[in-house]
């Protein structure tokens, strides 16, 4: 196939690093000569590799850069073979990474099959629970969907919230006034918004109350109409807090709840509101659940290995405890 019109260093990576990643994932042999890439292998693999390069060329033109995460994501999506023919377009024939939001810096796309299902679920339901490990894009995509809805005038405001409970720390021991104590817990939400909205515009939105970032405790008693409401780190809510949050939803509003049940910072023995919500609300029309796995991790490739290692440790510990209990029977 021909790769005319793109910078080969961007497409193939420094010292052909991207090319080597592709080669490692297939038995087919790749040889680059100028603007031509010769692919020798089975018909299926040749077709898959051509799809990969088509997508990477598109990213080169669109972003003027391609990184290792892009390459691994495209390979994974092509191998899954889950591209949706209804989402194709003249500008992007394959559209393996559907664009969620165009920003002042770049554009935001889905990067895994789990993220694709997440976006579809959010369009089909008024309340969506997004559950899974770190690095799967739960929070970032939720904010992107909210900003997209605001831009498209589907809602009039965005409210983002988190419980101020983290890593066993108490707010009372943190320095500063209440805002200084709370801001570190809300920082990931600020960071996501800064990626998607120019600084001056974001400040204006926040001053006018079009975008609010508030601790969960401050949500009590409110009715949120014409709003896109996000509850992040929901594994740290109590059952009563979760019920309180969900019952804030008013007319013409949508909500996304994100969390990772394996990283709860609640006191030992206290049930997470996220876990209880899964048990109570599954099956209600208009409420959707999306579950991510380590295959959906889109951060550094080592994040998946780290999750694997901790999961294995947890299983080993559970097995050891079971053996001890049985030996005492």
């Amino acid at each position: 196939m021909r790769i005319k019109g793109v910078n080969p260093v961007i497409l193939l990576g420094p010292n052909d690093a991207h090319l080597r990643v592709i080669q490692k994932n297939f038995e087919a042999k790749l040889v680059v000569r100028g603007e031509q890439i010769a692919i020798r292998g089975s018909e299926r693999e040749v077709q898959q590799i051509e799809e990969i390069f088509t997508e990477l060329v598109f990213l080169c033109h669109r972003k003027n850069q391609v990184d290792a995460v892009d390459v691994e994501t495209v390979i994974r999506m092509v191998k899954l073979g889950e591209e949706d023919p209804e989402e194709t377009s003249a500008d992007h024939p394959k559209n393996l990474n559907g664009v969620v939001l165009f920003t002042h810096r770049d554009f935001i796309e889905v990067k895994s099959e789990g993220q694709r299902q997440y976006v579809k679920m959010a369009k089909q339901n008024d309340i969506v629970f997004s559950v899974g490990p770190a690095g799967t894009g739960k929070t970032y995509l939720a904010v992107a969907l909210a900003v997209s809805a605001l831009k498209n005038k589907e809602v009039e405001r965005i409210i983002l919230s988190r419980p101020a409970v983290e890593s066993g720390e108490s707010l009372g021991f943190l320095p500063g006034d209440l805002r200084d104590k709370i801001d570190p817990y809300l920082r990931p939400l600020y960071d996501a918004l800064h990626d998607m909205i120019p600084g001056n515009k974001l400040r204006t939105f926040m001053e006018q109350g079009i975008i609010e970032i508030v601790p969960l405790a401050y949500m009590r008693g409110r009715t949120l109409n014409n709003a896109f409401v996000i509850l992040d780190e929901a594994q740290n809510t109590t059952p009563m807090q979760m019920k309180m949050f969900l019952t804030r939803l008013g007319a013409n509003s949508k909500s996304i709840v994100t969390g990772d049940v394996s990283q709860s910072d609640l006191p030992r023995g206290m049930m997470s509101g996220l876990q209880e919500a899964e048990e109570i609300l599954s099956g209600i029309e208009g409420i959707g659940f999306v579950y991510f796995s380590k295959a959906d991790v889109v951060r550094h490739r080592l994040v998946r290995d780290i999750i694997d290692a901790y999961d294995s440790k947890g299983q080993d510990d559970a097995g050891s405890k079971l053996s001890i209990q049985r030996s005492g029977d």
Side-chain angles (χ1 to χ4, degrees):
M1 67 177 295
R2 197 172 184 186
I3 54 171
K4 186 177 181 180
V6 297
N7 184 331
V9 175
I10 295 175
L11 177 65
L12 303 176
N15 299 317
D16 291 341
H18 299 163
L19 184 67
R20 288 197 299 274
V21 171
I22 297 171
Q23 177 69 82
K24 186 176 67 175
N25 281 273
F26 295 93
E27 294 181 2
K29 302 302 179 185
L30 306 178
V31 179
V32 179
R33 295 191 181 92
E35 296 178 348
Q36 295 287 337
I37 300 178
I39 309 170
R40 300 189 182 91
S42 67
E43 182 178 349
R44 178 172 173 273
E45 285 205 342
V46 168
Q47 183 179 2
Q48 287 180 319
I49 293 169
E50 286 179 348
E51 287 181 10
I52 289 168
F53 277 110
T54 298
E55 177 69 9
L56 293 178
V57 167
F58 168 80
L59 291 177
C60 285
H61 288 306
R62 199 63 171 271
K63 301 199 304 183
N64 198 34
Q65 66 176 18
V66 174
D67 59 28
V69 172
D70 290 327
V71 176
E72 291 177 356
T73 298
V74 170
I75 292 171
R76 188 162 67 249
M77 291 299 292
V78 167
K79 284 192 168 186
L80 283 171
E82 293 291 341
E83 58 268 27
D84 189 342
E86 294 180 2
E87 295 182 3
T88 59
S89 67
D91 293 332
H92 191 178
K94 291 297 177 185
N95 200 18
L96 297 173
N97 296 327
V99 175
V100 176
L101 173 70
F102 288 95
T103 75
H104 63 296
R105 295 179 178 176
D106 204 341
F107 60 98
I108 296 167
E109 325 166 84
V110 299
K111 292 181 177 294
S112 73
E113 182 57 22
Q115 288 192 357
R116 183 183 298 278
Q117 294 303 320
Y118 183 18
V119 171
K120 286 184 178 180
M121 188 73 74
K123 291 178 180 178
Q124 295 168 358
N125 296 275
D126 286 340
I127 298 177
V128 171
F129 288 83
S130 169
V131 184
T136 50
K138 303 183 300 296
T139 300
Y140 200 79
L141 266 184
V143 176
L145 287 164
V147 172
S148 177
L150 184 67
K151 282 188 171 185
N152 294 334
K153 302 187 185 304
E154 297 168 17
V155 297
E156 296 177 357
R157 54 183 173 155
I158 297 171
I159 294 96
L160 305 102
S161 185
R162 268 189 165 197
V165 179
E166 300 260 347
S167 304
E169 297 174 355
S170 170
L171 287 176
F173 290 97
L174 295 175
D177 60 19
L178 182 61
R179 183 176 182 84
D180 292 331
K181 294 172 188 290
I182 288 171
D183 268 1
Y185 295 96
L186 305 177
R187 180 51 53 189
L189 301 176
Y190 285 110
D191 291 343
L193 285 169
H194 277 291
D195 279 354
M196 301 172 199
I197 302 174
N200 291 338
K201 194 169 186 178
L202 178 58
R203 280 192 293 274
T204 300
F205 281 166
M206 297 187 75
E207 288 168 2
Q208 295 174 347
I210 295 172
I211 294 179
E212 292 183 64
I213 304 179
V214 296
L216 178 60
Y218 288 23
M219 300 283 279
R220 191 174 299 278
R222 300 183 65 180
T223 300
L224 305 173
N225 297 318
N226 300 305
F228 202 116
V229 192
I230 297 172
L231 175 60
D232 192 34
E233 298 289 343
Q235 75 275 4
N236 289 329
T237 61
T238 66
M240 287 301 295
Q241 286 176 324
M242 177 62 75
K243 181 182 177 182
M244 180 274 289
F245 172 81
L246 294 173
T247 53
R248 300 307 93 205
L249 207 63
N252 191 41
S253 290
K254 296 176 74 74
S255 179
I256 292 181
V257 178
T258 74
D260 177 3
V261 292
S262 71
Q263 294 195 39
S264 174
D265 295 315
L266 291 172
R268 185 180 297 274
M270 181 179 290
M271 186 175 193
S272 165
L274 178 58
Q275 287 178 296
E276 185 185 69
E278 290 181 78
E279 297 174 7
I280 294 176
L281 303 178
S282 294
I284 295 179
E285 186 175 353
I287 299 179
F289 287 82
V290 179
Y291 296 94
F292 290 95
S293 70
K294 61 180 179 291
D296 296 302
V297 171
V298 293
R299 288 183 187 164
H300 194 288
R301 64 175 182 80
L302 285 176
V303 173
R304 262 175 279 170
D305 295 336
I306 291 167
I307 292 170
D308 270 340
Y310 274 95
D311 285 349
S312 297
K313 174 74 163 55
Q315 290 168 4
D316 290 344
D317 287 349
S320 297
K321 291 176 183 176
L322 184 60
S323 297
I324 292 170
Q325 290 171 351
R326 285 178 176 170
S327 65
D329 288 345

